[in-house]
Amino acid sequence: MVNATSTDHFVKLVNNRFKFSLFLLFKLPSAWLSGVRIHKMDAHSCTTVVPYRWLSQNPFGSTYFACLAMAAEMSTGVLAMAHTSGTSSRVSMLVTGMEGIFLKKAKSRTYFTCEQGDAIRNAIMQAIASGNSSAITIGITGRSADGTEIAQFKVTWSFKSTSKT
């Protein structure tokens, strides 16, 4: 089962800009370099942001699609990490699918919000309870600061419980 105290502790660490920046630098250096960051997070939702700047732009005057995809995936992955950190079992997690639709040029900060933290937690609990893998597909929309829809992503995560050593 998921331990709410451990999940809350993980959320607190992620919301610490300095500590999470160090995590990105050492574990996801391409996200750190391109400026992908957590805007805000709780156990139920996570909002990431990717800036439009030299290290995240493409030759066509907009944010490179891979940077947008990193931010979209991170909004779901950090929630999954929060809920797996609060389990009594070791849970492996893997992105098994991703789709993206790009609607407008991203010429400013783009925000991706995942509000499916409860569904992610349920998929993790299902994997732990059954001992089999469990998958969930999560929809995320990227918007500019003024609310303009920039891109839509679907990320499929697979969770599997493994024994703790």
Side-chain angles (χ1 to χ4, degrees):
M1 288 298 144
V2 176
N3 179 338
T5 305
S6 296
T7 301
D8 291 341
H9 178 70
F10 184 87
V11 169
K12 186 177 178 182
L13 288 173
V14 169
N15 282 315
N16 180 311
R17 290 174 97 65
F18 177 72
K19 288 180 182 177
F20 193 70
S21 183
L22 285 177
F23 170 81
L24 286 178
L25 178 62
F26 291 104
K27 298 294 184 180
L28 294 167
S30 58
W32 184 83
L33 279 172
S34 63
V36 176
R37 299 291 185 266
I38 300 294
H39 181 67
K40 62 182 177 179
M41 181 189 177
D42 60 35
H44 310 287
S45 67
C46 179
T47 300
T48 57
V49 60
V50 61
Y52 173 65
R53 62 181 194 191
W54 183 73
L55 285 172
S56 63
Q57 71 179 331
N58 63 30
F60 310 109
S62 62
T63 304
Y64 184 50
F65 80 93
C67 295
L68 295 171
M70 275 192 290
E73 185 270 339
M74 187 183 291
S75 71
T76 63
V78 172
L79 280 169
M81 289 174 68
H83 292 298
T84 59
S85 73
T87 63
S88 57
S89 300
R90 179 171 290 157
V91 178
S92 66
M93 47 189 273
L94 179 67
V95 172
T96 58
M98 182 175 227
E99 296 176 39
I101 299 171
F102 304 92
L103 305 165
K104 296 272 186 189
K105 278 184 147 185
K107 294 182 149 193
S108 62
R109 290 179 175 266
T110 305
Y111 298 85
F112 291 90
T113 301
C114 174
E115 296 179 332
Q116 296 184 36
D118 294 333
I120 292 169
R121 181 180 36 83
N122 292 339
I124 293 166
M125 289 180 5
Q126 179 183 356
I128 292 169
S130 70
N132 297 318
S133 63
S134 173
I136 184 171
T137 300
I138 303 159
I140 311 103
T141 300
R143 298 183 185 280
S144 63
D146 67 3
T148 303
E149 199 170 303
I150 303 296
Q152 298 172 351
F153 284 90
K154 290 183 182 176
V155 179
T156 302
W157 282 96
S158 177
F159 303 103
K160 184 167 180 162
S161 177
T162 59
S163 62
K164 278 212 177 203
T165 55

